[in-house]
Amino acid sequence: MIVMRIFLFIILFINLGTKLFPQGFENEIWKEKTYNSRRITSTDKSGGNNDFIIIPKGKTITIADINGNGIIKHIWMTLASKDPMARKNAVIRMTWDKHAYPSVEVPLGEFFGQGWGEEYILNSAPLVAAPKKGKSMNSYFPMPFSKGAKIEIENQSSEDISSFYFYIDYEEWTKPIPSDLRFFAFWNRSITKPNTKSGRENEWSLLGETETTIPKKENHYTVLETEGKGHFLGLNLYVDSPSPIWYGEGDDLIWIDGKEWPPQMKGTGTEDVFNTAWSPKEVFMHPYFGYPRVSDSVGWLGRTHLYRFWMESPIRFEKNFLFLLEHGHANSLTLDLVSVAYWYQSLNHKPLRKLPNKEFRVNQPEINFRHIHKWKDSFRSEKGNGEIWGHE
């Protein structure tokens, strides 16, 4: 019995270790390092305790402008502002190797896994929003560069960011970076429309037989479309549902080096590509996937945040890559979808689509119990009033 317990403990320890540390960690961490450790921070250079910078409204501040080659390994940020949507109205922009166009241009909160301008805990391998209440934003994405790295914060708010604190930890290399792949992040948003033949938001066959036709590509939600060579790492998906019905019957579709039907990778439902099952509504966080924020209303009405990172095996492409999502089965639902895709690829002369202005990025109005009460009144009128319970 004692031997069996020791054996089980060893197995548990091994399994825990594989979750805490990346593959090959134990074979690499002890080896001699040849880089120089460097850091850029918001420290008070006068020796005082005002270890922050002010980013005035409407202004852009360069917080890092690094020459030479190396790899950014960790970014930490936190801020204070009178604007409750400061994390949504501030933009982080990253440019590698003095390129003409940025490779990252994303609202600050949504880049770090904080949707809708909110603050909440996120605990994934590459991104962590830490206590207090998710105010500490961390990135562990390796970000290589060979001719320099530039990171900017643009405050698109109507209020100053009165305190902006940051660390940027990087390795300064004395030898060339062995790859020309660079880190990218792309923001997208769409308020979808039902693309069913009937025009109805029919899901789970609640309004009759569910359509079985293959929906057109152009009606799907686009997570990422890019040309070039690289590998896709993962995404944050922020779903705001105006209906209590489950939003996640939509499949994921991924094309690799081609755009003809069928896609090389096709899923079975939104919760499945995010590694969960059976329409979950529970906060759950794994290093590679999770639901850090779920709807607190009836059914799935309201806001849900999902993430998935292919840390175990990034999805490789040589020529092009296309990642689409259905919004409900056969694209039958109206949803407010916001996503941030993360990947590596070679720099090219095509710029990413410019980030839309802050007016386009405003959250949809909340739907609450008052609206549901009005829905029931419309239903009662449709049924001729009388003794109507609401389940008819």
Side-chain angles (χ1 to χ4, degrees), residues 279-325:
S279 319
K281 191 180 172 180
E282 304 168 51
V283 170
F284 178 86
M285 286 176 278
H286 179 276
Y288 300 169
F289 68 93
Y291 282 63
R293 196 247 195 259
V294 295
S295 164
D296 55 6
S297 185
V298 59
W300 295 272
L301 178 70
R303 298 169 178 175
T304 303
H305 171 193
L306 312 84
Y307 66 86
R308 169 70 166 108
F309 298 109
W310 279 259
M311 306 295 287
E312 76 286 2
S313 182
I315 304 173
R316 179 176 170 270
F317 54 93
E318 285 284 337
K319 298 178 182 178
N320 50 62
F321 180 84
L322 177 62
F323 188 142
L324 303 180
L325 276 175

Side-chain angles (χ1 to χ4, degrees), residues 184-297:
F184 284 76
F186 173 72
W187 184 94
N188 197 21
R189 187 211 191 161
S190 179
I191 300 175
T192 65
K193 298 178 182 178
N195 294 119
T196 56
K197 291 180 180 178
S198 65
R200 304 178 81 188
E201 292 187 77
N202 185 18
E203 192 60 284
W204 283 355
S205 301
L206 292 176
L207 305 178
E209 186 176 349
T210 300
E211 293 186 15
T212 57
T213 55
I214 297 174
K216 295 180 181 179
K217 253 201 246 185
E218 56 266 28
N219 294 334
H220 290 64
Y221 177 79
T222 301
V223 172
L224 177 64
E225 183 172 15
T226 187
E227 305 287 331
K229 177 181 179 179
H231 50 265
F232 178 78
L233 195 59
L235 74 153
N236 277 298
L237 179 67
Y238 307 98
V239 181
D240 193 354
S241 174
S243 164
I245 193 64
W246 166 239
Y247 58 83
E249 290 296 337
D251 298 340
D252 57 301
L253 304 94
I254 297 175
W255 282 262
I256 303 168
D257 299 335
K259 298 181 180 179
E260 298 302 319
W261 187 270
Q264 284 84 347
M265 303 172 72
K266 187 176 186 299
T268 57
T270 307
E271 77 268 49
D272 306 334
V273 72
F274 289 94
N275 293 184
T276 59
W278 297 101
S279 319
K281 191 180 172 180
E282 304 168 51
V283 170
F284 178 86
M285 286 176 278
H286 179 276
Y288 300 169
F289 68 93
Y291 282 63
R293 196 247 195 259
V294 295
S295 164
D296 55 6
S297 185

Side-chain angles (χ1 to χ4, degrees), residues 313-382:
S313 182
I315 304 173
R316 179 176 170 270
F317 54 93
E318 285 284 337
K319 298 178 182 178
N320 50 62
F321 180 84
L322 177 62
F323 188 142
L324 303 180
L325 276 175
E326 289 182 296
H327 43 97
H329 172 71
N331 292 324
S332 61
L333 294 181
T334 292
L335 298 170
D336 182 8
L337 299 178
V338 173
S339 61
V340 181
Y342 308 88
W343 78 104
Y344 293 89
Q345 76 169 66
S346 302
L347 295 174
N348 56 46
H349 298 293
K350 274 188 171 183
L352 296 175
R353 191 195 67 201
K354 186 172 177 56
L355 180 71
N357 60 35
K358 71 172 185 177
E359 286 74 23
F360 179 85
R361 307 195 308 263
V362 171
N363 297 334
Q364 284 292 90
E366 178 192 12
I367 292 177
N368 58 34
F369 62 91
R370 294 179 177 85
H371 304 103
I372 295 174
H373 188 67
K374 292 179 180 179
W375 297 351
K376 186 178 179 184
D377 183 64
S378 296
F379 177 78
R380 182 183 295 278
S381 298
E382 179 186 309

Side-chain angles (χ1 to χ4, degrees), residues 154-166:
E154 181 181 359
N155 181 10
Q156 297 181 352
S157 171
S158 58
E159 298 282 351
D160 293 347
I161 297 176
S162 54
S163 303
F164 188 86
Y165 300 81
F166 65 90

Side-chain angles (χ1 to χ4, degrees), residues 80-212:
S81 173
K82 291 181 180 179
D83 179 8
M85 290 290 109
R87 292 184 175 206
K88 198 170 182 67
N89 290 331
V91 175
I92 187 167
R93 192 174 290 114
M94 304 181 187
T95 307
W96 314 121
D97 302 337
K98 306 185 187 302
H99 197 60
Y101 309 109
S103 297
V104 174
E105 189 178 37
V106 178
L108 188 68
E110 286 153 353
F111 176 87
F112 283 99
Q114 301 281 277
W116 306 284
E118 296 180 356
E119 298 173 350
Y120 51 86
I121 297 295
L122 167 70
N123 192 16
S124 73
L127 294 170
V128 178
K132 179 182 178 181
K133 297 181 179 179
K135 291 181 180 294
S136 163
M137 298 175 285
N138 294 268
S139 166
Y140 294 92
F141 284 116
M143 303 176 184
F145 53 93
S146 60
K147 298 178 182 176
K150 185 177 183 180
I151 300 180
E152 302 168 284
I153 303 296
E154 181 181 359
N155 181 10
Q156 297 181 352
S157 171
S158 58
E159 298 282 351
D160 293 347
I161 297 176
S162 54
S163 303
F164 188 86
Y165 300 81
F166 65 90
Y167 279 44
I168 299 172
D169 295 311
Y170 67 98
E171 299 170 356
E172 180 185 74
W173 282 36
T174 55
K175 58 184 179 180
I177 298 295
S179 172
D180 66 350
L181 300 186
R182 298 294 178 260
F183 176 77
F184 284 76
F186 173 72
W187 184 94
N188 197 21
R189 187 211 191 161
S190 179
I191 300 175
T192 65
K193 298 178 182 178
N195 294 119
T196 56
K197 291 180 180 178
S198 65
R200 304 178 81 188
E201 292 187 77
N202 185 18
E203 192 60 284
W204 283 355
S205 301
L206 292 176
L207 305 178
E209 186 176 349
T210 300
E211 293 186 15
T212 57

